[in-house]
């Protein structure tokens, strides 16, 4: 599994310790994240989701709001980014869908065309690395920006 994530990260030109020298201002980072993203890979509870299912995942980000379509579920919420941390941190609060009203803690890497995020289940400690190993509730999603 770790090898798979390394391959995904390398395909995007990322590493778990990479510093992309991107915006360190949360507002600028939100602007960079705004857009429509297509799933490339999804790892849930240490297991890779079949490629067609992963590629069906869509994320639409508008500033602090997001809408995620995954496996027939429509999830909406808000998120806050902290690009000053290493790794960069994200907290998402769902307003619609499973775990509504709960905070999911995560870490992420963002470039112009790729977004990789790792979240833990609500109430769990923030992950330290972009890896899906570590037990139930851990998810890693890799996205590619959809061209306009």
């Amino acid at each position: 599994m770790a090898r798979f994530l390394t391959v995904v990260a390398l395909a995007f030109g990322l590493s778990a310790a990479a510093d992309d020298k991107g915006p360190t201002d949360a507002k600028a980072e939100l602007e960079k994240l705004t857009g429509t993203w297509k799933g490339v890979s999804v790892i849930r509870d240490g297991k890779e989701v079949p490629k067609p299912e992963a590629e069906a995942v869509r994320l639409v980000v508008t500033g602090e709001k997001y809408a995620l379509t995954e496996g027939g579920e429509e999830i909406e919420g808000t998120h806050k980014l902290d690009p000053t941390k290493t790794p960069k941190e994200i907290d998402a609060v769902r307003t619609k869908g499973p775990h509504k009203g709960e905070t999911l803690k995560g870490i992420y890497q963002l470039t112009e065309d790729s977004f990789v995020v790792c979240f833990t289940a609500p109430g769990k400690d923030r992950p330290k690395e972009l890896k899906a190993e570590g037990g139930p509730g851990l998810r890693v999603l890799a996205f590619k920006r959809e061209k306009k």
Side-chain angles (χ1 to χ4, degrees), residues 78-81 89-93 103-106 119 126:
T78 60
H79 53 235
K80 295 206 179 302
L81 306 178
E89 295 181 358
I90 181 170
D91 289 341
V93 178
T103 300
L104 286 83
K105 294 179 180 180
F119 279 110
R126 186 178 313 278

Side-chain angles (χ1 to χ4, degrees), residues 57-106:
V57 175
R58 288 288 178 280
L59 174 66
V60 178
V61 177
T62 309
E64 289 187 346
K65 294 183 180 183
Y66 71 90
L68 177 72
T69 304
E70 181 180 9
E73 285 186 309
E74 292 189 19
I75 299 165
E76 294 177 4
T78 60
H79 53 235
K80 295 206 179 302
L81 306 178
D82 187 347
T84 66
K85 303 280 178 143
T86 304
K88 295 178 180 182
E89 295 181 358
I90 181 170
D91 289 341
V93 178
R94 293 183 176 174
T95 56
K96 177 183 175 185
H99 304 295
K100 180 179 176 180
E102 296 179 275
T103 300
L104 286 83
K105 294 179 180 180

